[in-house]
Amino acid sequence: MTNPLYDTLFGRHAGNGEVFLYLPEGGTITYAGFVEQAGQMAQALTSLDLVPGDRVAVQITKSHHALAVYAACVQAGLVFLPLNPAYTPDEVAYFVDNSGAALLVCEDATLAVLSPIARQAGTRVQTLNADGTGSLGQRAAAQTDRFATVSREEGDLAAMLYTSGTTGRSKGAMLSQRNLLSNAQVLAECWRFTDADVLLHALPIFHTHGLFVATNIALLTGGAMVLLPKLDIDRIIDWLPRSTAMMGVPTFYTRLLADARFTSDLVGHMRLFISGSAPLLAETHKQFEARTGHRILERYGMTETNMNTSNPYDGERRAGTVGFPLPRVELKVCDPHTGALCGPGEIGVIEVRGDNVFQGYWQMPEKTAAELRADGFFITGDLGFVDADGYVTIVGRNKDLIISGGYNIYPKEVELILDDQPGVLESAVIGVPHPDFGETPVAVLVADGDLDEAAVAAAVKHSLAGFKCPRAYVVVEALPRNTMGKVQKNVLRDRCKDRFA
Ligand code: MLC
Ligand code: AMP
């Protein structure tokens, strides 16, 4: 009986007395302790009659208990489906319904609103709070840790992560054990992680970056993680002298640079700072080096593909580029219209192929076929080029997407809600430069009679997670359109580009 992902990341640590987690409130959790905790959680999940392949939707605060649910799902052959706690009940309803989740794990604080949603979808509900209390926590505490690991193959699904779509409907990206394992192995090797590392972890654990890139690498190599609940600059400053590596979105680095306590002395023990999920400005890269002597290592990935490229550990980390394709990842740049291969320096759509590339979108064969070619290449929708030295640069996106502080916002999802509001004839949501988040959404509205801007903003906030809500509303006479009738978002972006300068 084997379960490659469980055996490699978790099972082999049974009896390992080394520290896996440093907890922010003090104290530690050893690898052995974590594996036991995961075993109890796996018992608890299967005692709820879940069977291998069932989806387990999890909308809870970041904590070691939440990580144990991930480990337990892997051990029990369940498909882990983490959700941002910022998602509204409307958003959760869609994910639970679309995934056909067998179980929704939420917190006691959200049980009253989420129970009816789960009931409607025929999904069971359990609660798990950040301190380990809640119905699932209690159930786990009452179990032994001796769980017979469920046999799985590398092609079996391990996780499903929802990623928004250009039509406004989110899609469940299906990730196999092989997808996760192969990427963690490649990254750990490229970035030289070992059991001596202490990874400062302040990212959320419901996305690829914090869950698979960061956590899986630590588990694979046996290093420790400082598990901070979120980005908190005071705590980062406190932990940096005891850490060796950190991963963050660019906002992490701009916020650190804005703090006078962040000096080269503070990072004397650090060996690596990694950035990704959104473009790191070359200016930030330069400032960071000037302040600390460290060159941030920028890499590029996606929910559907895990990590695709990385700047080198030893060679030149080139600001403004995302480095080279990772070992065992094929990358090509193609003309978006003809599909023809672009030459060095020519801009086109980036396509990738390898064990890192997902299995398709959950129950959406047409969308899968539109983005995942029969030959295995995934069309990322990112525009870029490969230079003569082989470095990949991302110059833009062939998809209407805004990335705010590393979170993706698909304008269509916001526009659909705006267009439904009284007083709104039509809308366009655009991304404009923002000093903290890189980009932020602005809604451009055309009024239809009386338009109550505050009421419109409140309606959006009710339906969508806070980070997706436009930071400004602009009312115009008409949206600029080209001769084909398509809204010229570039014209709007240009008009609003200095809004947050
Ligand atoms: C929080 N808020 C945001 C936001 N994050 N607004 C815009 N963009 C964001 N990214 C809003 C909240 O809605 C709330 O507003 C207010 O800010 C305070 O919330 P918070 O949680 O206290 O915010 P903060 O701590 O400042 O968070 C900012 C952040 C965080 C940048 C630290 O967003 C973050 O950790 N981002 C990382 C995202 C990530 O992991 N992405 C990886 C995706 S994987 P209100 O009004 O609601 O109260 C991927 C693949 C790859 O892309 O390559 O890695
Ligand atoms: P997600 O769907 O949340 O996984 O976001 C993936 C998208 O983030 C990619 O398609 C890119 O557009 C963007 N992205 C990730 N890393 C980088 C990077 N280093 N530079 C620029 N864009 C990035």
Side-chain angles (χ1 to χ4, degrees):
M1 297 275 270
T2 60
N3 177 325
L5 191 63
Y6 179 79
D7 298 344
T8 316
L9 299 189
F10 308 103
R12 75 187 176 84
H13 293 300
N16 174 355
E18 296 296 325
V19 173
F20 169 41
L21 298 174
Y22 288 101
L23 304 178
E25 60 275 18
T28 57
I29 292 185
T30 63
Y31 269 100
F34 182 73
V35 171
E36 283 170 18
Q37 192 186 344
Q40 286 181 297
M41 187 57 77
Q43 293 274 28
L45 291 174
T46 48
S47 75
L48 292 163
D49 299 328
L50 301 183
V51 295
D54 277 350
R55 276 78 56 215
V56 178
V58 182
Q59 194 193 31
I60 57 177
T61 306
K62 179 178 176 183
S63 74
H64 63 94
H65 302 285
L67 277 186
V69 178
Y70 164 49
C73 284
V74 176
Q75 188 170 17
L78 301 166
V79 180
F80 184 60
L81 196 171
L83 296 170
N84 188 338
Y87 289 146
T88 62
D90 282 1
E91 291 171 303
V92 175
Y94 172 80
F95 298 126
V96 169
D97 182 56
N98 184 266
S99 66
L103 176 70
L104 170 65
V105 182
C106 65
E107 298 185 357
D108 282 326
T110 50
L111 184 64
V113 262
L114 295 182
S115 278
I117 288 170
R119 201 173 314 119
Q120 174 94 15
T123 301
R124 301 182 69 166
V125 192
Q126 289 279 298
T127 60
L128 182 61
N129 306 314
D131 61 2
T133 58
S135 55
L136 186 63
Q138 265 172 18
R139 187 177 277 266
Q143 311 288 329
T144 72
D145 63 346
R146 276 183 296 279
F147 179 76
T149 301
V150 171
S151 187
R152 294 271 94 183
E153 294 185 357
E154 288 208 338
D156 288 328
L157 290 194
M160 201 154 102
L161 263 54
Y162 273 85
T163 162
S164 313
T166 41
T167 56
R169 283 187 72 207
S170 292
K171 304 164 288 184
M174 299 186 287
L175 295 153
S176 68
Q177 290 214 344
R178 182 182 294 112
N179 294 149
L180 304 184
L181 202 49
S182 65
N183 212 238
Q185 282 162 340
V186 163
L187 295 174
E189 208 173 298
C190 287
W191 298 340
R192 310 275 166 84
F193 272 84
T194 70
D195 59 3
D197 274 303
V198 179
L199 178 64
L200 192 40
H201 192 306
L203 285 160
I205 52 169
F206 44 78
H207 275 316
T208 299
H209 197 164
L211 185 61
F212 302 136
V213 184
T215 308
N216 282 0
I217 287 183
L219 287 160
L220 182 72
T221 53
M225 288 202 307
V226 181
L227 198 71
L228 301 183
K230 62 189 292 249
L231 179 64
D232 172 336
I233 294 296
D234 288 343
R235 278 185 161 163
I236 298 267
I237 301 258
D238 184 31
W239 276 98
L240 272 170
R242 289 171 279 170
S243 306
T244 64
M246 190 176 99
M247 297 180 189
V249 299
T251 303
F252 280 37
Y253 297 110
T254 49
R255 287 193 190 174
L256 274 173
L257 283 169
D259 196 301
R261 293 170 297 172
F262 185 63
T263 61
S264 59
D265 288 345
L266 196 73
V267 300
H269 192 237
M270 289 288 289
R271 67 170 184 89
L272 186 59
F273 291 93
I274 299 173
S275 177
S277 308
L280 181 77
L281 294 179
E283 188 50 33
T284 309
H285 198 279
K286 280 196 205 111
Q287 281 177 15
F288 199 89
E289 185 176 15
R291 180 86 68 90
T292 64
H294 280 275
R295 287 178 75 82
I296 297 174
L297 184 153
E298 186 172 5
R299 90 317 178 263
Y300 154 64
M302 282 185 83
T303 302
E304 288 93 332
T305 64
N306 296 286
M307 299 304 102
N308 297 311
T309 74
S310 171
N311 268 280
Y313 189 81
D314 284 328
E316 184 195 351
R317 297 178 196 166
R318 239 178 237 182
T321 82
V322 293
F324 305 111
L326 287 162
R328 303 196 281 286
V329 176
E330 290 174 81
L331 181 145
K332 62 183 183 177
V333 178
C334 298
D335 183 292
H337 307 294
T338 65
L341 209 58
C342 294
E346 275 174 26
I347 295 172
V349 176
I350 295 173
E351 298 189 15
V352 293
R353 176 164 75 179
D355 282 347
N356 54 317
V357 174
F358 77 141
Q359 307 302 298
Y361 296 113
W362 175 256
Q363 292 184 340
M364 292 186 183
E366 310 81 32
K367 292 207 185 293
T368 303
E371 293 178 38
L372 192 56
R373 294 188 191 280
D375 64 4
F377 271 99
F378 177 69
I379 307 164
T380 64
D382 289 310
L383 293 171
F385 65 89
V386 183
D387 70 17
D389 297 332
Y391 283 84
V392 178
T393 298
I394 295 172
V395 297
R397 300 173 200 129
N398 201 26
K399 49 193 174 189
D400 196 10
L401 161 70
I402 299 166
I403 304 184
S404 165
Y407 285 144
N408 288 4
I409 303 156
Y410 274 85
K412 190 76 191 170
E413 192 182 8
V414 189
E415 288 161 2
L416 286 173
I417 291 166
L418 290 170
D419 292 348
D420 261 358
Q421 302 312 311
V424 176
L425 182 63
E426 57 176 349
S427 65
V429 171
I430 50 165
V432 304
H434 188 273
D436 187 31
F437 293 125
E439 261 184 310
T440 199
V442 167
V444 183
L445 306 176
V446 178
D448 180 15
D450 285 340
L451 194 158
D452 179 346
E453 226 178 273
V456 170
V460 176
K461 207 166 169 57
H462 175 78
S463 299
L464 298 177
F467 69 88
K468 297 181 191 171
C469 298
R471 212 157 273 268
Y473 286 83
V474 178
V475 180
V476 296
E477 283 294 310
L479 296 176
R481 291 182 187 275
N482 65 15
T483 49
M484 309 289 288
K486 197 168 177 264
V487 176
Q488 293 172 301
K489 289 199 167 177
N490 53 333
V491 173
L492 293 174
R493 274 192 287 266
D494 200 49
R495 271 190 221 159
C496 299
K497 68 179 186 315
D498 297 325
R499 181 95 196 185
F500 300 98

